[in-house]
Amino acid sequence: KAGVTQTPRYLIKTRGQQVTLSCSPISGHRSVSWYQQTPGQGLQFLFEYFSETQRNKGNFPGRFSGRQFSNSRSEMNVSTLELGDSALYLCASSLAPGGNEQFFGPGTRLTVL
Amino acid sequence: GESVGLHLPTLSVQEGDNSIINCAYSNSASDYFIWYKQESGKGPQFIIDIRSNMDKRQGQRVTVLLNKTVKHLSLQIAATQPGDSAVYFCAETLNDYKLSFGAGTTVTVRA
């Protein structure tokens, strides 16, 4: 069974631009969560989607948004990029919503110049 | 704010020895705890979990201990191997919602 895949793996943007990251969960998994990982703040929860609905949201500004499609694939978007948005963005999928046994993808490394 | 934290940011252990990684949490309402391992260039990998109604759970070469009295969680790795070198995170869920992660402990295995 294929794992969680994220595209692209690496991305370089400039301040003010916007970016869209994609996540394909493990087949059969309907819940997708997004996390931001930085050296200073560690792993921080962004949001969780289940059945195309945002179920939970972390403490991030409105520039961070996401969505989930009917096939459970998810995208997250960051608008008006700031230098501090440089991070590893991780996607995790699970069978059901909540924290139980989430499987993480390799992440997308975003660098904002 | 962050409710889960690890006692030490780094741990150096001799190959073959046992490793103990500690984590303190602050929310007594947390009902589920997980340990993750993250190798360089990869996403976190699930190691073992434990519910708040348990004190101990064992896996292959790993044991998680939960002390609810002092709100302490530990991960024990038996016979540490070079492949165990990674960053280890503890995480908790509050009412089965989002995961809250600790800062991580970098484990380095010496040959």
Short mmCIF file of all heavy atoms in Angstrom, two decimals, chain A residues 19-85:
data_model
loop_
_atom_site.label_atom_id
_atom_site.label_comp_id
_atom_site.label_asym_id
_atom_site.label_seq_id
_atom_site.Cartn_x
_atom_site.Cartn_y
_atom_site.Cartn_z
N VAL A 19 1.27 30.10 -2.41
CA VAL A 19 1.72 28.75 -2.71
C VAL A 19 0.62 27.75 -2.39
O VAL A 19 -0.17 27.95 -1.47
CB VAL A 19 3.02 28.43 -1.92
CG1 VAL A 19 2.73 28.35 -0.42
CG2 VAL A 19 3.64 27.13 -2.40
N THR A 20 0.57 26.69 -3.18
CA THR A 20 -0.37 25.60 -2.94
C THR A 20 0.40 24.29 -2.84
O THR A 20 1.20 23.97 -3.71
CB THR A 20 -1.41 25.49 -4.07
OG1 THR A 20 -2.15 26.72 -4.15
CG2 THR A 20 -2.37 24.34 -3.81
N LEU A 21 0.17 23.58 -1.75
CA LEU A 21 0.82 22.29 -1.52
C LEU A 21 -0.24 21.19 -1.60
O LEU A 21 -1.38 21.40 -1.20
CB LEU A 21 1.49 22.27 -0.15
CG LEU A 21 2.38 23.47 0.21
CD1 LEU A 21 2.97 23.28 1.59
CD2 LEU A 21 3.45 23.67 -0.83
N SER A 22 0.19 20.04 -2.08
CA SER A 22 -0.76 18.95 -2.28
C SER A 22 -0.40 17.72 -1.45
O SER A 22 0.78 17.45 -1.21
CB SER A 22 -0.79 18.58 -3.76
OG SER A 22 -1.72 17.55 -3.99
N CYS A 23 -1.43 17.00 -1.03
CA CYS A 23 -1.23 15.79 -0.23
C CYS A 23 -2.21 14.72 -0.69
O CYS A 23 -3.42 14.96 -0.78
CB CYS A 23 -1.46 16.11 1.24
SG CYS A 23 -1.52 14.67 2.33
N SER A 24 -1.67 13.54 -0.96
CA SER A 24 -2.51 12.39 -1.27
C SER A 24 -2.41 11.39 -0.13
O SER A 24 -1.31 10.88 0.15
CB SER A 24 -2.07 11.74 -2.58
OG SER A 24 -2.32 12.59 -3.67
N PRO A 25 -3.51 11.12 0.56
CA PRO A 25 -3.45 10.22 1.72
C PRO A 25 -3.31 8.77 1.30
O PRO A 25 -3.43 8.43 0.11
CB PRO A 25 -4.80 10.47 2.40
CG PRO A 25 -5.71 10.84 1.28
CD PRO A 25 -4.87 11.61 0.32
N ILE A 26 -3.09 7.94 2.28
CA ILE A 26 -3.06 6.50 2.05
C ILE A 26 -4.46 6.08 1.57
O ILE A 26 -5.47 6.59 2.07
CB ILE A 26 -2.68 5.76 3.34
CG1 ILE A 26 -1.20 6.04 3.66
CG2 ILE A 26 -2.94 4.27 3.24
CD1 ILE A 26 -0.75 5.53 5.01
N SER A 27 -4.49 5.16 0.64
CA SER A 27 -5.76 4.71 0.09
C SER A 27 -6.68 4.22 1.21
O SER A 27 -6.28 3.40 2.05
CB SER A 27 -5.51 3.57 -0.90
OG SER A 27 -6.72 3.07 -1.41
N GLY A 28 -7.89 4.74 1.22
CA GLY A 28 -8.85 4.35 2.25
C GLY A 28 -8.89 5.30 3.43
O GLY A 28 -9.85 5.27 4.22
N HIS A 29 -7.86 6.12 3.58
CA HIS A 29 -7.86 7.11 4.66
C HIS A 29 -8.68 8.32 4.25
O HIS A 29 -8.52 8.85 3.16
CB HIS A 29 -6.42 7.54 4.98
CG HIS A 29 -5.65 6.51 5.74
ND1 HIS A 29 -4.44 6.80 6.37
CD2 HIS A 29 -5.90 5.22 5.99
CE1 HIS A 29 -4.01 5.71 6.97
NE2 HIS A 29 -4.86 4.74 6.74
N ARG A 30 -9.53 8.76 5.15
CA ARG A 30 -10.40 9.87 4.83
C ARG A 30 -10.09 11.14 5.61
O ARG A 30 -10.68 12.18 5.37
CB ARG A 30 -11.85 9.45 5.09
CG ARG A 30 -12.33 8.31 4.18
CD ARG A 30 -13.68 7.80 4.60
NE ARG A 30 -14.69 8.86 4.56
CZ ARG A 30 -15.87 8.76 5.17
NH1 ARG A 30 -16.16 7.69 5.89
NH2 ARG A 30 -16.75 9.73 5.07
N SER A 31 -9.18 11.03 6.55
CA SER A 31 -8.82 12.19 7.35
C SER A 31 -7.42 12.64 6.98
O SER A 31 -6.50 11.83 6.87
CB SER A 31 -8.87 11.84 8.84
OG SER A 31 -8.44 12.94 9.61
N VAL A 32 -7.27 13.94 6.77
CA VAL A 32 -5.97 14.51 6.44
C VAL A 32 -5.70 15.70 7.37
O VAL A 32 -6.56 16.57 7.52
CB VAL A 32 -5.92 14.99 4.98
CG1 VAL A 32 -4.62 15.75 4.71
CG2 VAL A 32 -6.04 13.80 4.03
N SER A 33 -4.53 15.70 7.97
CA SER A 33 -4.11 16.81 8.83
C SER A 33 -2.85 17.44 8.27
O SER A 33 -2.03 16.75 7.66
CB SER A 33 -3.84 16.32 10.26
OG SER A 33 -5.00 15.79 10.84
N TRP A 34 -2.69 18.70 8.51
CA TRP A 34 -1.51 19.44 8.06
C TRP A 34 -0.78 20.02 9.27
O TRP A 34 -1.41 20.50 10.22
CB TRP A 34 -1.91 20.58 7.13
CG TRP A 34 -2.37 20.16 5.77
CD1 TRP A 34 -3.63 19.86 5.39
CD2 TRP A 34 -1.54 19.99 4.60
NE1 TRP A 34 -3.66 19.51 4.05
CE2 TRP A 34 -2.39 19.59 3.55
CE3 TRP A 34 -0.18 20.15 4.34
CZ2 TRP A 34 -1.91 19.35 2.25
CZ3 TRP A 34 0.28 19.91 3.06
CH2 TRP A 34 -0.57 19.52 2.04
N TYR A 35 0.55 19.98 9.20
CA TYR A 35 1.40 20.50 10.27
C TYR A 35 2.51 21.34 9.65
O TYR A 35 2.98 21.07 8.56
CB TYR A 35 2.03 19.37 11.07
CG TYR A 35 1.04 18.51 11.82
CD1 TYR A 35 0.40 17.44 11.19
CD2 TYR A 35 0.74 18.77 13.16
CE1 TYR A 35 -0.51 16.66 11.87
CE2 TYR A 35 -0.17 17.98 13.85
CZ TYR A 35 -0.78 16.93 13.20
OH TYR A 35 -1.69 16.15 13.88
N GLN A 36 2.93 22.33 10.42
CA GLN A 36 4.10 23.12 10.05
C GLN A 36 5.22 22.76 11.01
O GLN A 36 5.02 22.73 12.22
CB GLN A 36 3.79 24.62 10.16
CG GLN A 36 4.95 25.52 9.76
CD GLN A 36 4.76 26.96 10.24
OE1 GLN A 36 4.75 27.22 11.44
NE2 GLN A 36 4.63 27.88 9.30
N GLN A 37 6.40 22.49 10.47
CA GLN A 37 7.55 22.16 11.31
C GLN A 37 8.67 23.15 11.07
O GLN A 37 9.15 23.30 9.94
CB GLN A 37 8.03 20.73 11.05
CG GLN A 37 9.13 20.29 12.01
CD GLN A 37 9.52 18.84 11.85
OE1 GLN A 37 9.43 18.28 10.76
NE2 GLN A 37 9.95 18.20 12.94
N THR A 38 9.09 23.82 12.13
CA THR A 38 10.22 24.75 12.08
C THR A 38 11.16 24.45 13.23
O THR A 38 10.72 23.90 14.25
CB THR A 38 9.76 26.22 12.19
OG1 THR A 38 9.06 26.39 13.44
CG2 THR A 38 8.84 26.61 11.04
N PRO A 39 12.44 24.81 13.10
CA PRO A 39 13.37 24.55 14.20
C PRO A 39 12.96 25.25 15.49
O PRO A 39 13.15 24.72 16.57
CB PRO A 39 14.69 25.10 13.66
CG PRO A 39 14.55 25.04 12.18
CD PRO A 39 13.10 25.33 11.91
N GLY A 40 12.39 26.43 15.37
CA GLY A 40 12.06 27.19 16.56
C GLY A 40 10.76 26.78 17.24
O GLY A 40 10.67 26.74 18.46
N GLN A 41 9.76 26.47 16.47
CA GLN A 41 8.43 26.18 17.00
C GLN A 41 8.08 24.69 17.00
O GLN A 41 7.06 24.30 17.57
CB GLN A 41 7.36 26.93 16.20
CG GLN A 41 7.49 28.44 16.25
CD GLN A 41 7.33 28.96 17.65
OE1 GLN A 41 6.45 28.54 18.40
NE2 GLN A 41 8.20 29.88 18.04
N GLY A 42 8.91 23.87 16.37
CA GLY A 42 8.60 22.45 16.33
C GLY A 42 7.43 22.16 15.40
O GLY A 42 7.19 22.88 14.44
N LEU A 43 6.72 21.11 15.73
CA LEU A 43 5.57 20.69 14.91
C LEU A 43 4.32 21.37 15.43
O LEU A 43 3.92 21.19 16.57
CB LEU A 43 5.39 19.17 15.00
CG LEU A 43 6.17 18.34 14.01
CD1 LEU A 43 6.42 16.95 14.57
CD2 LEU A 43 5.39 18.23 12.71
N GLN A 44 3.69 22.13 14.55
CA GLN A 44 2.48 22.85 14.95
C GLN A 44 1.33 22.46 14.04
O GLN A 44 1.47 22.45 12.81
CB GLN A 44 2.73 24.35 14.87
CG GLN A 44 3.94 24.82 15.66
CD GLN A 44 3.58 25.90 16.65
OE1 GLN A 44 2.73 26.72 16.38
NE2 GLN A 44 4.20 25.88 17.80
N PHE A 45 0.20 22.17 14.65
CA PHE A 45 -0.99 21.76 13.92
C PHE A 45 -1.59 22.93 13.16
O PHE A 45 -1.77 24.01 13.71
CB PHE A 45 -1.99 21.20 14.92
CG PHE A 45 -3.34 20.89 14.36
CD1 PHE A 45 -3.55 19.70 13.67
CD2 PHE A 45 -4.40 21.76 14.53
CE1 PHE A 45 -4.80 19.40 13.15
CE2 PHE A 45 -5.64 21.47 14.03
CZ PHE A 45 -5.86 20.30 13.34
N LEU A 46 -1.90 22.69 11.90
CA LEU A 46 -2.53 23.70 11.06
C LEU A 46 -4.03 23.49 10.96
O LEU A 46 -4.82 24.32 11.35
CB LEU A 46 -1.92 23.69 9.66
CG LEU A 46 -0.59 24.41 9.50
CD1 LEU A 46 0.17 23.88 8.29
CD2 LEU A 46 -0.81 25.90 9.36
N PHE A 47 -4.43 22.37 10.38
CA PHE A 47 -5.85 22.03 10.29
C PHE A 47 -6.02 20.56 9.95
O PHE A 47 -5.08 19.90 9.54
CB PHE A 47 -6.62 22.88 9.27
CG PHE A 47 -5.81 23.50 8.18
CD1 PHE A 47 -5.17 22.74 7.22
CD2 PHE A 47 -5.67 24.88 8.11
CE1 PHE A 47 -4.42 23.31 6.23
CE2 PHE A 47 -4.92 25.48 7.11
CZ PHE A 47 -4.30 24.68 6.17
N GLU A 48 -7.26 20.11 10.11
CA GLU A 48 -7.61 18.72 9.82
C GLU A 48 -8.88 18.71 8.99
O GLU A 48 -9.82 19.48 9.25
CB GLU A 48 -7.85 17.94 11.11
CG GLU A 48 -8.27 16.49 10.86
CD GLU A 48 -8.66 15.78 12.15
OE1 GLU A 48 -9.13 16.43 13.08
OE2 GLU A 48 -8.48 14.53 12.19
N TYR A 49 -8.89 17.83 8.00
CA TYR A 49 -10.05 17.67 7.14
C TYR A 49 -10.54 16.24 7.18
O TYR A 49 -9.75 15.29 7.24
CB TYR A 49 -9.72 18.06 5.70
CG TYR A 49 -9.58 19.54 5.52
CD1 TYR A 49 -8.35 20.17 5.73
CD2 TYR A 49 -10.67 20.33 5.18
CE1 TYR A 49 -8.22 21.53 5.60
CE2 TYR A 49 -10.55 21.70 5.05
CZ TYR A 49 -9.32 22.30 5.27
OH TYR A 49 -9.19 23.65 5.14
N PHE A 50 -11.84 16.12 7.15
CA PHE A 50 -12.47 14.81 7.09
C PHE A 50 -13.74 14.94 6.26
O PHE A 50 -14.56 15.83 6.51
CB PHE A 50 -12.81 14.30 8.49
CG PHE A 50 -13.49 12.97 8.52
CD1 PHE A 50 -12.79 11.81 8.25
CD2 PHE A 50 -14.84 12.88 8.81
CE1 PHE A 50 -13.41 10.57 8.28
CE2 PHE A 50 -15.48 11.65 8.84
CZ PHE A 50 -14.77 10.49 8.58
N SER A 51 -13.87 14.07 5.27
CA SER A 51 -15.05 14.12 4.39
C SER A 51 -15.28 15.53 3.85
O SER A 51 -16.41 16.05 3.89
CB SER A 51 -16.29 13.64 5.13
OG SER A 51 -16.17 12.26 5.43
N GLU A 52 -14.20 16.13 3.38
CA GLU A 52 -14.24 17.43 2.70
C GLU A 52 -14.58 18.60 3.62
O GLU A 52 -14.82 19.71 3.13
CB GLU A 52 -15.20 17.40 1.51
CG GLU A 52 -14.87 16.33 0.48
CD GLU A 52 -15.88 16.26 -0.65
OE1 GLU A 52 -16.00 17.24 -1.39
OE2 GLU A 52 -16.57 15.22 -0.76
N THR A 53 -14.60 18.36 4.91
CA THR A 53 -14.95 19.40 5.87
C THR A 53 -13.79 19.64 6.82
O THR A 53 -13.17 18.69 7.29
CB THR A 53 -16.20 18.99 6.68
OG1 THR A 53 -17.28 18.76 5.78
CG2 THR A 53 -16.58 20.09 7.67
N GLN A 54 -13.52 20.91 7.08
CA GLN A 54 -12.49 21.23 8.07
C GLN A 54 -13.03 20.93 9.45
O GLN A 54 -14.01 21.54 9.90
CB GLN A 54 -12.09 22.70 7.97
CG GLN A 54 -10.88 23.03 8.84
CD GLN A 54 -10.47 24.49 8.73
OE1 GLN A 54 -10.98 25.36 9.44
NE2 GLN A 54 -9.55 24.76 7.82
N ARG A 55 -12.39 20.04 10.13
CA ARG A 55 -12.88 19.58 11.41
C ARG A 55 -12.23 20.32 12.59
O ARG A 55 -12.82 20.46 13.64
CB ARG A 55 -12.61 18.08 11.53
CG ARG A 55 -13.16 17.41 12.75
CD ARG A 55 -12.98 15.90 12.65
NE ARG A 55 -13.44 15.24 13.86
CZ ARG A 55 -12.65 14.93 14.88
NH1 ARG A 55 -11.37 15.24 14.84
NH2 ARG A 55 -13.14 14.32 15.94
N ASN A 56 -11.02 20.75 12.37
CA ASN A 56 -10.29 21.39 13.46
C ASN A 56 -9.25 22.32 12.86
O ASN A 56 -8.75 22.06 11.75
CB ASN A 56 -9.62 20.32 14.31
CG ASN A 56 -9.36 20.78 15.72
OD1 ASN A 56 -9.70 21.89 16.10
ND2 ASN A 56 -8.75 19.92 16.51
N LYS A 57 -8.92 23.37 13.57
CA LYS A 57 -7.98 24.36 13.05
C LYS A 57 -7.04 24.81 14.15
O LYS A 57 -7.45 24.99 15.30
CB LYS A 57 -8.75 25.56 12.50
CG LYS A 57 -7.90 26.53 11.69
CD LYS A 57 -8.78 27.64 11.11
CE LYS A 57 -8.03 28.49 10.09
NZ LYS A 57 -6.83 29.12 10.63
N GLY A 58 -5.78 24.98 13.80
CA GLY A 58 -4.79 25.47 14.75
C GLY A 58 -4.74 26.98 14.77
O GLY A 58 -5.56 27.66 14.13
N ASN A 59 -3.77 27.50 15.51
CA ASN A 59 -3.66 28.94 15.68
C ASN A 59 -2.76 29.58 14.63
O ASN A 59 -1.66 30.03 14.93
CB ASN A 59 -3.13 29.26 17.09
CG ASN A 59 -4.08 28.78 18.15
OD1 ASN A 59 -5.29 28.87 18.01
ND2 ASN A 59 -3.52 28.28 19.25
N PHE A 60 -3.22 29.62 13.44
CA PHE A 60 -2.49 30.23 12.32
C PHE A 60 -3.37 31.30 11.70
O PHE A 60 -4.60 31.21 11.74
CB PHE A 60 -2.11 29.18 11.28
CG PHE A 60 -0.89 28.38 11.65
CD1 PHE A 60 -0.98 27.31 12.51
CD2 PHE A 60 0.36 28.73 11.14
CE1 PHE A 60 0.17 26.58 12.85
CE2 PHE A 60 1.49 28.01 11.47
CZ PHE A 60 1.39 26.94 12.34
N PRO A 61 -2.72 32.32 11.11
CA PRO A 61 -3.53 33.39 10.50
C PRO A 61 -4.32 32.89 9.30
O PRO A 61 -4.08 31.82 8.77
CB PRO A 61 -2.46 34.41 10.07
CG PRO A 61 -1.18 33.66 10.01
CD PRO A 61 -1.29 32.57 11.03
N GLY A 62 -5.25 33.73 8.89
CA GLY A 62 -6.14 33.36 7.79
C GLY A 62 -5.45 33.18 6.45
O GLY A 62 -6.06 32.66 5.51
N ARG A 63 -4.17 33.59 6.38
CA ARG A 63 -3.41 33.37 5.14
C ARG A 63 -3.23 31.88 4.85
O ARG A 63 -2.94 31.49 3.73
CB ARG A 63 -2.02 34.01 5.25
CG ARG A 63 -2.03 35.50 5.48
CD ARG A 63 -0.62 36.06 5.45
NE ARG A 63 0.24 35.54 6.51
CZ ARG A 63 1.23 34.68 6.32
NH1 ARG A 63 1.48 34.21 5.11
NH2 ARG A 63 1.98 34.28 7.34
N PHE A 64 -3.38 31.09 5.88
CA PHE A 64 -3.25 29.64 5.73
C PHE A 64 -4.64 29.05 5.57
O PHE A 64 -5.51 29.24 6.42
CB PHE A 64 -2.57 29.04 6.97
CG PHE A 64 -1.13 29.41 7.11
CD1 PHE A 64 -0.77 30.64 7.65
CD2 PHE A 64 -0.13 28.53 6.72
CE1 PHE A 64 0.57 31.00 7.79
CE2 PHE A 64 1.21 28.87 6.85
CZ PHE A 64 1.56 30.10 7.39
N SER A 65 -4.85 28.35 4.49
CA SER A 65 -6.15 27.73 4.25
C SER A 65 -5.95 26.37 3.62
O SER A 65 -4.86 26.03 3.17
CB SER A 65 -7.00 28.62 3.35
OG SER A 65 -6.39 28.75 2.07
N GLY A 66 -7.00 25.62 3.59
CA GLY A 66 -6.89 24.29 3.01
C GLY A 66 -8.23 23.83 2.49
O GLY A 66 -9.26 24.50 2.65
N ARG A 67 -8.19 22.68 1.86
CA ARG A 67 -9.43 22.06 1.42
C ARG A 67 -9.17 20.59 1.17
O ARG A 67 -8.03 20.15 1.03
CB ARG A 67 -9.97 22.72 0.16
CG ARG A 67 -9.04 22.69 -1.05
CD ARG A 67 -9.71 23.34 -2.25
NE ARG A 67 -8.82 23.42 -3.40
CZ ARG A 67 -9.24 23.73 -4.62
NH1 ARG A 67 -10.52 23.98 -4.85
NH2 ARG A 67 -8.37 23.80 -5.63
N GLN A 68 -10.25 19.85 1.11
CA GLN A 68 -10.16 18.42 0.82
C GLN A 68 -11.15 18.08 -0.27
O GLN A 68 -12.29 18.58 -0.28
CB GLN A 68 -10.45 17.59 2.08
CG GLN A 68 -10.20 16.10 1.89
CD GLN A 68 -10.48 15.30 3.14
OE1 GLN A 68 -11.38 15.63 3.90
NE2 GLN A 68 -9.72 14.23 3.34
N PHE A 69 -10.74 17.21 -1.14
CA PHE A 69 -11.57 16.82 -2.27
C PHE A 69 -12.31 15.52 -1.97
O PHE A 69 -12.03 14.83 -0.98
CB PHE A 69 -10.69 16.69 -3.52
CG PHE A 69 -9.96 17.95 -3.87
CD1 PHE A 69 -8.66 18.16 -3.43
CD2 PHE A 69 -10.57 18.95 -4.61
CE1 PHE A 69 -7.97 19.33 -3.73
CE2 PHE A 69 -9.90 20.12 -4.92
CZ PHE A 69 -8.60 20.31 -4.48
N SER A 70 -13.20 15.17 -2.85
CA SER A 70 -14.04 13.98 -2.63
C SER A 70 -13.21 12.69 -2.60
O SER A 70 -13.63 11.69 -2.03
CB SER A 70 -15.13 13.88 -3.69
OG SER A 70 -14.56 13.83 -4.98
N ASN A 71 -12.04 12.71 -3.22
CA ASN A 71 -11.18 11.52 -3.20
C ASN A 71 -10.21 11.54 -2.01
O ASN A 71 -9.27 10.76 -1.96
CB ASN A 71 -10.40 11.39 -4.51
CG ASN A 71 -9.47 12.58 -4.74
OD1 ASN A 71 -9.44 13.52 -3.95
ND2 ASN A 71 -8.72 12.55 -5.83
N SER A 72 -10.46 12.45 -1.07
CA SER A 72 -9.70 12.63 0.17
C SER A 72 -8.37 13.34 -0.01
O SER A 72 -7.72 13.68 0.98
CB SER A 72 -9.47 11.29 0.90
OG SER A 72 -10.69 10.75 1.32
N ARG A 73 -7.97 13.58 -1.24
CA ARG A 73 -6.76 14.38 -1.46
C ARG A 73 -6.98 15.78 -0.88
O ARG A 73 -8.11 16.28 -0.85
CB ARG A 73 -6.43 14.46 -2.94
CG ARG A 73 -5.07 15.05 -3.27
CD ARG A 73 -4.79 15.03 -4.77
NE ARG A 73 -5.66 15.94 -5.50
CZ ARG A 73 -5.40 17.23 -5.69
NH1 ARG A 73 -4.31 17.78 -5.17
NH2 ARG A 73 -6.23 17.98 -6.39
N SER A 74 -5.89 16.35 -0.41
CA SER A 74 -6.02 17.67 0.24
C SER A 74 -4.98 18.63 -0.30
O SER A 74 -3.90 18.23 -0.76
CB SER A 74 -5.87 17.52 1.75
OG SER A 74 -5.93 18.77 2.41
N GLU A 75 -5.31 19.88 -0.26
CA GLU A 75 -4.38 20.95 -0.60
C GLU A 75 -4.38 21.97 0.51
O GLU A 75 -5.40 22.18 1.17
CB GLU A 75 -4.79 21.65 -1.91
CG GLU A 75 -4.61 20.83 -3.16
CD GLU A 75 -5.02 21.58 -4.42
OE1 GLU A 75 -5.68 22.63 -4.30
OE2 GLU A 75 -4.69 21.09 -5.50
N MET A 76 -3.23 22.60 0.71
CA MET A 76 -3.20 23.75 1.58
C MET A 76 -2.60 24.92 0.81
O MET A 76 -1.76 24.73 -0.07
CB MET A 76 -2.43 23.49 2.87
CG MET A 76 -0.95 23.29 2.74
SD MET A 76 -0.11 23.53 4.34
CE MET A 76 -0.07 25.31 4.46
N ASN A 77 -3.06 26.08 1.13
CA ASN A 77 -2.64 27.29 0.43
C ASN A 77 -2.15 28.32 1.45
O ASN A 77 -2.73 28.47 2.52
CB ASN A 77 -3.81 27.87 -0.36
CG ASN A 77 -3.39 29.06 -1.19
OD1 ASN A 77 -2.80 28.93 -2.25
ND2 ASN A 77 -3.71 30.25 -0.71
N VAL A 78 -1.07 28.96 1.10
CA VAL A 78 -0.58 30.07 1.92
C VAL A 78 -0.50 31.29 1.01
O VAL A 78 0.19 31.25 -0.01
CB VAL A 78 0.78 29.80 2.56
CG1 VAL A 78 1.13 30.90 3.55
CG2 VAL A 78 0.81 28.44 3.24
N SER A 79 -1.19 32.33 1.37
CA SER A 79 -1.17 33.55 0.56
C SER A 79 -0.26 34.58 1.21
O SER A 79 0.07 34.50 2.40
CB SER A 79 -2.59 34.11 0.43
OG SER A 79 -3.10 34.46 1.69
N THR A 80 0.15 35.54 0.42
CA THR A 80 0.99 36.65 0.88
C THR A 80 2.12 36.12 1.77
O THR A 80 2.23 36.42 2.97
CB THR A 80 0.16 37.69 1.65
OG1 THR A 80 -1.10 37.89 1.01
CG2 THR A 80 0.90 39.02 1.69
N LEU A 81 2.97 35.31 1.19
CA LEU A 81 4.03 34.63 1.94
C LEU A 81 4.94 35.60 2.68
O LEU A 81 5.28 36.68 2.18
CB LEU A 81 4.86 33.77 0.99
CG LEU A 81 4.21 32.46 0.55
CD1 LEU A 81 4.96 31.87 -0.64
CD2 LEU A 81 4.17 31.47 1.70
N GLU A 82 5.33 35.17 3.88
CA GLU A 82 6.28 35.92 4.70
C GLU A 82 7.51 35.05 4.92
O GLU A 82 7.45 33.82 4.79
CB GLU A 82 5.64 36.28 6.04
CG GLU A 82 4.39 37.13 5.92
CD GLU A 82 3.73 37.38 7.26
OE1 GLU A 82 4.25 36.90 8.29
OE2 GLU A 82 2.69 38.09 7.28
N LEU A 83 8.62 35.70 5.28
CA LEU A 83 9.85 34.95 5.49
C LEU A 83 9.65 33.86 6.54
O LEU A 83 10.19 32.75 6.43
CB LEU A 83 10.97 35.89 5.93
CG LEU A 83 11.43 36.93 4.91
CD1 LEU A 83 12.52 37.82 5.50
CD2 LEU A 83 11.95 36.25 3.63
N GLY A 84 8.85 34.16 7.54
CA GLY A 84 8.63 33.22 8.63
C GLY A 84 7.80 32.01 8.24
O GLY A 84 7.65 31.09 9.05
N ASP A 85 7.30 32.00 7.03
CA ASP A 85 6.53 30.83 6.56
C ASP A 85 7.45 29.73 6.07
O ASP A 85 6.99 28.63 5.75
CB ASP A 85 5.56 31.25 5.45
CG ASP A 85 4.50 32.23 5.93
OD1 ASP A 85 4.18 32.22 7.14
OD2 ASP A 85 4.00 33.02 5.09
#
